[in-house]
Amino acid sequence: MARTTQIKKYLIEQFSLEIQPEELADDYDLLAGGVIDSLGLLTLVSWLEDTYGLDVDVLDVAPDNFRSVAAIDAFCDAAAAAGAAGSAETAATGAHQP
């Protein structure tokens, strides 16, 4: 299953949207549309961490990173790449990152 579809299914279930995943446009503004509020954002971040094994830095929790399904998907790509780069750097230097 594509990650965007999985994200859409989570949003629909978690926030009680009465639509099908294919009806939720990738660029629909989830914040302006009232789908996600500040508590919902924290819930979404926690789900992303658990589901995709991401380590989200509190500084990355900016509204624009979660404004749409497309933005969330791009955020997951960036967070995964940052996590992989951090792991590679730690392995190369033998240093432990706090």
Side-chain angles (χ1 to χ4, degrees), residues 4 21 24 34 56 61 64 88 97-98:
T4 55
L24 181 57
V56 178
V61 183
D64 284 341
Q97 300 291 328

Side-chain angles (χ1 to χ4, degrees), residues 3-5 7-8 11 24-30 65-75:
R3 183 170 53 207
T4 55
T5 302
I7 292 168
K8 288 177 183 184
L11 293 170
L24 181 57
D26 288 353
D27 62 349
Y28 177 74
D29 192 325
L30 300 165
N65 289 335
F66 304 95
R67 190 164 297 282
S68 66
V69 171
I72 295 166
D73 188 46
F75 173 81

Side-chain angles (χ1 to χ4, degrees), residues 30-98:
L30 300 165
L31 302 176
V35 174
I36 298 176
D37 59 13
S38 57
L39 180 59
L41 181 60
L42 295 176
T43 303
L44 173 60
V45 169
S46 178
W47 178 79
L48 292 171
E49 288 179 318
D50 293 343
T51 303
Y52 300 112
L54 303 176
D55 185 18
V56 178
D57 188 304
V58 70
L59 298 176
D60 294 332
V61 183
D64 284 341
N65 289 335
F66 304 95
R67 190 164 297 282
S68 66
V69 171
I72 295 166
D73 188 46
F75 173 81
C76 289
D77 283 341
S87 295
E89 181 180 321
T90 300
T93 64
H96 174 69
Q97 300 291 328

Side-chain angles (χ1 to χ4, degrees), residues 8-23:
K8 288 177 183 184
K9 286 183 176 186
Y10 170 79
L11 293 170
I12 289 166
E13 181 180 306
Q14 181 66 33
F15 300 105
S16 301
L17 304 178
E18 295 184 11
I19 60 173
Q20 295 299 313
E22 58 274 4
E23 296 176 272

